[in-house]
Structures are given as structure tokens and as C-alpha cells.
């Protein structure tokens, strides 16, 4: 199976319509950024209890998906899954696009983005943030090298691809650790937070790849064999089960210890329980699995597409839950006591996101989108037709 | 497959553009004076050379010419040492500048407006008008 | 003025100070030598006797607001509290509730400083944890890391209040701030504003001093009475001690 890579035409009306739409979103995002900088964070919905809000949900979800997007490449390069080899370029490129989009949101939400350079001048190596800066920039470099090797020097693909794969595991561990290492926050302080992020990145990366591949191939009228998509479906099922497994283990351990009864019942019944039940369990796990295991829907491209869609929404919901519920849960300063004060100690924090925050977040998604759209127009990212290798049979079907 | 020599170059260019966008945006905001580091109201400069109000005391803590050229570095350097190392030199404290140079408008702003700089120190630190 | 430890330590400085002193500066007005620096010889700490603290007294919080120009925006979610009064009660409501002030604990192992990407938050040599507002990029990671909710972001533009304290700068929007143990007073050999206010109120519930000095009031107390810190299990070694909790 030798695939022939070509650029997409990118001259149609609908192509330009998407580009213009994304451009407008980026401009609106830039406007939101300037508004927040001029007016102060007072115009957002964030407050002193929920200091990280919607922009961070967008940013971190995009970062998680970025490392997951490298999946297809890793599966072919590192694990020799042949039918994904044709998506290697796509996957490395998508990873970069998502990462840039996510980082942009993260940086543009700073209270003082004008001082960004100080981060480089006075590095604090103990900070998870600083480590992440290295991890992200290293990841981008590795992805570029990986891409380059796929274009020009295929003999190095294996080495660079493996390095990129290892790097992404560490990278997502780093992202998860931003939260996992914070001892004071009972909702997400756990050694399992980082592995859960890794699993989440695998499932969401696969899901976003499914969505983009199916849509792009459809609109460019290229051939995408069903078997290839179903291969991805099987991967998505496996990764989703992995996420579910880690979530269950984490809950199980915590439910076992009376010290965590309060937090756990708060998660299940408190103000953010809807996000936990419908977002984390519903959209991330149950809906995709329900569709994918369904004998008819699981065997149709449409079904797989919507399952992937739900998984992506679920990723945002899960990050939102970790972040928002994690901060909203009152800090337990006096275990065993009820606390009250003028500073709203002892009560769940409230947070109503403002529109600007969403505009900023969608601006980040639009940056990712525009990089992707321009990338497939100017480079030979995608194969003419994606077919499974000769004689390939899916190991499993619902 | 081997004829794609130009791709990495184009690719790098694209990436560089994106990063430039991400990094330049905050810088532009600062440059435009709209950043959180909102700068002082810039009085449009009119008139001849700056007229400095005469200082009250006998002598500055450093020679005037030196001060004119170096006060910003001097203050900034001391700022880091004071905040981070707790260095307090009482005779040279910023609060004491105002003992002699009693008006921000009649002293500091005069030159600052003339040369068109707008340091944001006094957004937070108080100094007599 | 007695020859306390600080004066002895500063003696070297005093000798030179006499020479550098600017006109108009008298030694009587300031007992400190002209030049001082934070040093590891000291370890500032606070001890709060909860039994002496009344639930309707807010002298400390008011004094802090006044001394440090801490703004109130009228939005309880965003108001900035460097020190706040907490009411705690056992869940079964068997015992009466206890009232106590909570401020930054100036932790020995401050997680806020550990996570700060620019080292804007740092621990001074004498143990005071400070935010360098010239360097803070407003990422708010420290706000997630502090277990005591001691930190606030400045959400709105603030101005120097009419009756404000000109010695303490206000903070620009977009940076994070918190209690600084009244570093400007401590460096001048005075007690923090909240401690002063507490004794002026006649409560004397708060004492402040140097833990490295074995004879200071606080050292003696910490050695002899049973004291506690908040969430000692987190291992941050807070330096605000509570008695009678
Ligand atoms: S109490 Fe909070 S803000 Fe203060 S030093 Fe400890 S962690 Fe930092
Ligand atoms: S908000 Fe400021 S002080 Fe806090 S971690 Fe970020 S840079 Fe450091
Ligand atoms: S020590 Fe100073 S800054 Fe800290 S709470 Fe007391 S008065 Fe406020």
C-alpha cells in the first residue's frame, strides 16, 4: 500500500467560507483579549475562588487533544499498525495546530501578558508551569522533525516518531500534574490525575482525528475506506474504556476512605454534579461506548462520527469538571469543622462565565482550525485515498 | 516523494508566522499603551525645554547630572533589591525623593513628557501631585 | 530604648550609618541603622491566642485594610482579604463556635512560591513570603496552590484612597496579592498593623516576633504552650501559630 499525498484544492467557495469564519473568530478572540487587558479581569466571570475559568478549560482541553492527536502517527510508527501510516503527517500536523491554539489561549488569559518574557528570564524550575513550557516547546520541535522526516527522510521516522511518542506521554503527564500536584485541592489531588489525563488525551485525540478525517475526506471527495474508520473506532473504544477504568479506580480508592466521603458526595450531589454525571460519565464515556457497541450504529460511519463528537465534548466537560468543581469545592482548612466567613469560606464557590471568556476560547479553537485548513492546502498532508492494507481484516466488530 | 524539498521551509515559515502572532499580540497591546500597565495620561507636549521646579534641599543623594541619566536604572535596581532582599537604605528611600522634589507634575512629568516616556511606577506608588 | 537583639545585630551598620545619614534624618526618629537587609538570622512568625479573640471584633482586619490600602470592590467573590475572620464550629454543633483570624501563613515550604513560573512569589531570607508585584504575570497558579485561600487577584483598577497610607503602594490590576506580614513595618522594627490593632483593642490575642531568637516572647510561648498550625498535615510548616484551637 503506497499512499500518494496531495494538497487539497482549497479554492472552493465553502473552503473560503470556513477560512473567513475562522478568521472572524480569531479577530473576535483578539478583541476579547484586548478587552480583558484594558478592562481587567473584572469583565470576566472569574473570581478569587475560581481563578481559572473557561479560557483555561479551552486551553487545557486543546493541549490534551494535541498530544492525543499524535496517536495515529505513533500507532503506525511505534506500534507498526500499518493502516494508520497514511495519517502520520496529518496527525503530527494536527498535534502542532492544537498545541498552538491551546497555548495561545493560555497566554492571552494572563493578568499581565505584557510580562510574558519574565517567565523566560526568571525560570522557576520547581514550577509545573515552567516544566510544561519546556515540554510544549520540545513537543513542537519533535513534531516538526517527525513531519520533516516523514516528508523527506523516511529512514529517521521511526526514531523521531518514537521520541515524539515518549515525549507526549511525559507531556500529558505534565499537564495533568499541573492539577495533580496541588495537595490542597481534594477534588483533583491524586496520583491518578496525570494518568487519567494521558488516557483522556488518547481517547480525545483519536476522536478529534476521526471527526477531522471523516469531514475532510468527505468534503474533498477523497476516498476513505470504512475499514480504516472502524479501526479508529476500535482504538477509541479501547481508550475510552481506559479512561473509565482510571476514573473508577480513583473513585473506588477515595470512596473507601472516610476522609473523602464529604468530597465524593459533594461531587455526586453538589452544584457541579450535573457536569460530573452528564459530562464526565455521559459525554466522555457512556454515550460513545453506547453508540460504538451498538450493532447497527457502531458499524456506520455516522455513528462513529457522533460518538467521536460526544467524546470531544466530553473532554471539554471533563477538564471543566476537574478545573471548576476542583476550585469550587471549599478548601478544607479545618477538617471536621464547619467554617464560615465574609470571604465565603466553607461554601461552594459560584462562577458564571462571561461571554468574553468563551470568545477567547473559541479564538483558540479558530487558531487551531485555521492552521489546519491552511496546512492541508499548502502541504501534502493527506493521502489521495485512504484504504486499509491488502487483506486486512478488522479483529472485531460490534 | 523526494521532490518536496521546499516543504520544510514553507512549513517553518508558517509556524514562525503563527508564533509571531501569538507573541506579538501582547507586545502590541503594551506598545499601544492599552495594556494592564496602563500608562499615565500623556500630556501632549507643548512649549520649549522642560522647566523643572527647583528642589527644596541642598543636594541630591547623587550628583545631579548622574541622576538625570541614571535615576531609572538606579530605582529599578534598588527596586529588585528592596523587594527581594529586603534592602532598606533609609537615607535613599524613594519616599524621600518627595522631600525635595515635591511635585510630580512640576518635576518628573516635565522631562518625561518632553522625551515622551510614561513609566508606570506611580500607578501604584504614591507621590505628591 | 533597650539593647535588644536587633540593635546589637545592627551595630555594625550604625557605625557607618552616622556618616551616610542625609540632612534632616535623625537617629531618634528611626531606631534602625540606615541600611538593613533581610537576613536568615531572623524567622518572623505570629501566634494567635484564639481564646482571647472575640467573634464580633474586626480590629485586625480593619487595621490591615487601612495600613495596606487593601481594596473592597463590593463583590464578595472578588473582594480582597489579606486577613479575614473565620467562624468555625464542630459539625455536630456540640460546642460553641470559635472565632479566629486567618492570614497568609508564611509557610516554610510555600506551595505558592513553588508553582510560580516567574519566581514572583518568593520567600525572603527572614521567612516572609512576598509577591513581587513588578514580576507577577497574573497566571493565578499560586491561587490554586495555596491551601489557605490567602491570595487574591486584583480584578479591577484601584486608586490610592483619599485617606490611604501613602507608604504602601496600591496594586495594579492583573497581579496577585496577599498579606506581606507588613514587611514595611517589620523592616522598621515595628509590629504588623493587625497585631498593633489587636493590642490597642486590649485583646492582645496576637503576638509577632522572631522564632530564631530563643528569648523572644513568641519563641518562649511556642516552646511552652500547646500551639497548632492550620492543616499541619500538609507539611507546609505554617508560621502563624494558634493557641487554644
Ligand atoms: S499561606 Fe498560602 S500564600 Fe501564604 S505562604 Fe502559605 S501557601 Fe503561600
Ligand atoms: S499569579 Fe503571579 S505570583 Fe502567582 S504564580 Fe502567577 S506569576 Fe507567580
Ligand atoms: S501582618 Fe500586616 S499585611 Fe498581614 S494581615 Fe496583618 S496587617 Fe495585614
Amino acid at each position: 500500500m503506497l499512499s500518494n499525498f496531495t494538497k487539497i484544492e482549497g479554492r472552493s467557495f465553502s473552503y473560503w467560507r470556513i477560512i473567513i469564519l475562522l478568521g472572524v473568530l480569531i479577530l473576535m478572540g483578539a478583541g476579547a483579549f484586548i478587552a480583558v487587558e484594558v478592562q481587567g479581569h473584572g469583565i470576566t466571570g472569574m473570581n478569587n475562588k475560581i481563578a481559572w475559568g473557561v479560557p483555561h478549560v479551552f486551553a487545557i482541553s486543546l493541549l490534551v487533544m494535541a498530544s492525543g492527536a499524535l496517536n495515529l502517527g505513533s500507532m503506525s510508527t511505534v506500534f507498526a499498525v500499518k493502516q494508520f501510516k497514511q495519517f502520520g503527517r496529518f496527525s503530527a500536523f494536527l498535534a502542532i495546530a492544537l498545541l498552538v491554539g491551546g497555548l495561545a489561549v493560555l497566554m492571552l488569559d494572563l493578568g499581565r501578558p505584557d510580562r510574558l518574557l519574565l517567565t523566560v528570564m526568571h525560570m522557576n524550575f520547581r514550577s509545573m508551569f515552567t516544566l510544561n513550557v519546556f515540554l510544549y516547546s520540545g513537543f513542537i520541535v519533535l513534531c516538526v522533525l517527525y513531519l520533516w522526516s516523514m516528508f523527506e527522510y523516511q529512514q529517521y521516522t521511526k526514531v523521531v516518531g518514537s521520541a515524539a511518542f515518549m515525549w507526549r506521554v511525559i507531556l500529558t503527564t505534565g499537564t495533568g500534574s499541573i492539577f495533580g500536584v496541588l495537595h490542597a485541592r481534594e477534588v483533583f489531588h491524586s496520583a491518578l490525575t496525570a494518568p487519567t489525563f494521558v488516557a483522556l488525551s488518547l481517547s480525545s485525540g483519536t476522536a478529534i482525528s476521526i471527526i477531522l478525517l471523516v469531514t475532510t475526506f468527505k468534503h474533498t471527495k477523497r476516498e476513505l475506506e470504512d475499514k480504516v474508520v472502524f479501526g479508529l473506532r476500535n482504538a477509541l473504544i479501547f481508550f475510552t474504556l481506559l479512561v473509565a477504568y482510571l476514573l473508577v479506580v480513583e473513585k473506588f480508592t477515595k470512596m473507601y476512605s472516610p476522609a473523602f466521603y464529604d468530597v465524593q458526595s459533594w461531587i455526586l450531589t453538589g452544584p457541579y454534579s450535573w457536569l460530573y454525571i452528564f459530562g464526565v460519565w455521559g459525554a466522555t464515556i457512556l454515550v460513545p461506548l453506547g453508540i460504538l457497541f451498538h450493532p447497527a450504529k457502531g458499524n456506520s460511519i455516522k455513528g462513529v462520527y457522533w460518538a467521536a463528537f460526544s467524546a470531544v465534548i466530553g473532554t471539554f466537560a471533563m477538564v471543566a469538571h476537574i478545573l471548576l468543581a476542583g476550585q469550587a469545592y471549599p478548601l478544607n482548612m479545618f477538617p471536621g469543622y464547619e467554617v464560615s466567613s465574609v470571604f465565603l469560606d466553607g461554601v461552594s464557590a459560584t462562577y458564571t462565565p462571561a461571554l468574553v471568556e468563551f470568545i477567547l476560547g473559541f479564538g483558540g479553537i479558530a487558531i487551531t482550525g485555521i492552521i489546519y485548513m491552511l496546512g492541508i492546502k499548502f502541504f501534502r498532508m493527506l493521502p489521495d485515498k485512504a484504504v486499509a492494507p491488502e487483506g486486512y481484516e478488522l479483529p472485531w466488530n460490534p | 516523494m523526494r521532490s518536496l524539498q521546499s516543504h520544510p521551509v514553507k512549513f517553518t515559515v508558517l509556524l514562525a508566522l503563527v508564533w509571531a502572532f501569538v507573541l506579538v499580540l501582547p507586545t502590541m497591546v503594551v506598545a499601544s499603551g492599552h495594556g494592564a500597565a496602563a500608562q499615565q495620561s500623556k500630556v501632549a507636549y507643548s512649549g520649549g525645554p522642560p522647566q523643572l521646579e527647583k528642589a527644596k534641599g541642598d543636594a541630591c543623594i547623587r550628583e545631579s547630572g548622574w541622576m538625570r541619566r541614571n535615576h531609572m536604572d538606579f530605582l529599578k535596581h534598588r527596586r529588585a533589591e528592596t523587594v527581594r532582599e529586603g534592602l532598606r537604605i533609609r537615607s535613599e528611600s524613594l519616599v524621600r525623593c518627595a522631600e525635595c522634589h515635591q511635585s510630580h507634575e512640576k518635576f518628573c512629568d516635565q522631562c518625561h513628557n518632553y522625551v515622551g516616556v510614561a513609566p508606570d511606577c506611580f500607578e501604584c506608588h504614591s507621590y505628591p501631585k | 530604648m533597650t539593647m535588644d537583639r536587633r540593635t546589637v545585630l545592627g551595630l555594625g551598620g550604625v557605625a557607618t550609618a552616622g556618616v551616610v545619614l542625609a540632612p534632616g534624618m535623625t537617629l531618634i526618629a528611626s531606631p534602625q541603622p540606615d541600611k538593613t537587609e533581610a537576613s536568615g538570622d531572623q524567622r518572623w512568625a505570629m501566634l494567635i491566642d484564639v481564646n482571647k479573640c472575640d467573634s464580633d471584633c474586626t480590629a485586625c482586619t480593619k487595621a490591615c485594610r487601612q495600613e495596606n490600602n487593601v481594596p473592597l470592590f463590593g463583590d464578595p467573590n472578588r473582594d480582597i482579604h489579606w486577613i479575614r475572620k473565620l467562624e468555625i464550629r464542630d459539625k455536630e454543633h456540640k460546642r460553641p463556635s470559635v472565632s479566629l483570624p486567618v492570614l497568609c501563613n508564611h509557610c516554610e515550604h510555600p506551595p505558592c512560591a513553588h508553582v510560580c513560573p516567574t519566581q514572583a512569589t518568593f520567600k525572603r531570607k527572614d521567612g516572609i513570603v512576598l509577591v513581587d508585584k513588578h514580576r507577577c504575570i497574573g497566571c493565578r497558579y499560586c491561587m490554586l496552590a495555596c491551601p489557605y485561600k490567602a491570595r487574591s487577584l486584583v480584578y479591577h483598577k484601584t486608586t490610592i484612597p483619599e485617606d490611604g497610607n501613602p507608604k504602601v503602594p496600591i496594586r495594579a490590576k492583573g497581579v496577585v496579592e496577599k498579606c506581606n506580614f507588613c514587611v514595611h513595618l517589620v523592616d522598621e522594627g515595628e509590629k504588623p498593623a493587625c497585631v498593633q490593632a489587636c493590642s490597642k483593642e486590649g485583646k492582645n490575642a496576637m503576638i509577632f516576633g522572631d522564632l530564631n531568637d530563643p528569648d523572644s516572647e513568641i519563641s518562649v510561648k511556642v516552646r511552652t504552650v500547646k500551639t497548632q498550625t492550620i492543616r499541619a498535615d500538609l507539611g507546609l510548616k505554617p508560621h502563624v501559630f494558634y493557641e487554644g484551637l
Side-chain angles (χ1 to χ4, degrees), chain A residues 258-323:
Chain A
F260 288 108
Y261 283 175
D262 280 353
V263 206
Q264 297 310 325
S265 59
W266 183 86
I267 289 178
L268 292 176
T269 59
Y272 283 94
S273 53
W274 58 275
L275 194 55
Y276 187 71
I277 293 165
F278 296 111
V280 176
W281 281 100
T284 323
I285 294 171
L286 298 178
V287 173
L289 287 185
I291 298 178
L292 297 179
F293 275 117
H294 191 278
K297 295 202 182 75
N299 276 322
S300 75
I301 298 294
K302 222 178 177 168
V304 176
Y305 180 86
W306 285 110
F309 192 75
S310 170
V312 169
I313 300 291
T315 305
F316 280 90
M318 195 150 151
V319 173
H321 180 263
I322 291 187
L323 251 176

Side-chain angles (χ1 to χ4, degrees), chain A residues 192-242:
Chain A
L192 279 183
T193 304
T196 312
F197 266 72
V198 176
L200 186 66
S201 87
L202 291 169
S203 73
S204 62
T206 313
I208 188 88
S209 304
I210 293 178
I211 294 178
L212 285 179
L213 283 177
V214 170
T215 350
T216 315
F217 274 72
K218 184 159 158 240
H219 287 285
T220 50
K221 304 207 173 53
R222 298 182 181 210
E223 187 195 339
L224 179 62
E225 206 186 343
D226 287 358
K227 259 197 241 164
V228 178
V229 181
F230 292 145
L232 283 171
R233 170 200 65 196
N234 290 0
L236 182 59
I237 292 181
F238 176 74
F239 294 140
T240 308
L241 286 173
L242 194 64

Side-chain angles (χ1 to χ4, degrees), chain C residues 131-152:
Chain C
V131 187
D132 184 344
K133 280 95 176 176
H134 309 107
R135 197 185 279 184
C136 170
I137 56 171
C139 69
R140 283 110 73 209
Y141 194 13
C142 53
M143 295 173 69
L144 270 75
C146 169
Y148 308 103
K149 226 165 78 176
R151 313 183 135 248
S152 316

Side-chain angles (χ1 to χ4, degrees), chain C residues 21-85:
Chain C
L21 275 187
M25 176 103 179
T26 56
L27 259 177
I28 298 132
S30 160
Q32 291 284 73
D34 187 47
K35 181 178 167 184
T36 50
E37 225 171 312
S39 95
D41 295 337
Q42 277 119 355
R43 201 341 170 167
W44 301 114
M46 197 181 273
L47 174 67
I48 298 169
D49 186 345
V50 177
N51 300 318
K52 293 184 187 161
C53 187
D54 265 349
S55 77
D56 48 3
C57 173
T58 50
C60 54
T61 57
K62 274 203 213 110
C64 178
R65 216 166 268 292
Q66 175 65 37
E67 176 69 28
N68 296 301
N69 302 322
V70 182
L72 274 179
F73 302 120
D75 169 359
N77 270 318
R78 291 190 179 149
D79 279 345
I80 297 173
H81 300 264
W82 286 14
I83 178 171
R84 61 193 195 270
K85 287 294 297 285

Side-chain angles (χ1 to χ4, degrees), chain C residues 104-107 110-112 129 146-148 150-151 178:
Chain C
C104 167
N105 280 288
H106 297 273
C107 310
C112 54
V129 177
C146 169
Y148 308 103
R151 313 183 135 248
K178 65 167 193 73

Side-chain angles (χ1 to χ4, degrees), chain B residues 9-46:
Chain B
V9 180
K10 271 203 229 163
F11 188 76
T12 324
V13 171
L14 182 70
L15 255 183
L17 279 178
V18 170
W19 274 107
F21 173 77
V22 170
L23 290 175
V24 160
L25 200 58
T27 325
M28 271 168 16
V29 171
V30 182
S32 68
H34 284 293
Q39 322 232 311
Q40 310 208 333
S41 61
K42 280 182 202 140
V43 189
Y45 188 77
S46 55

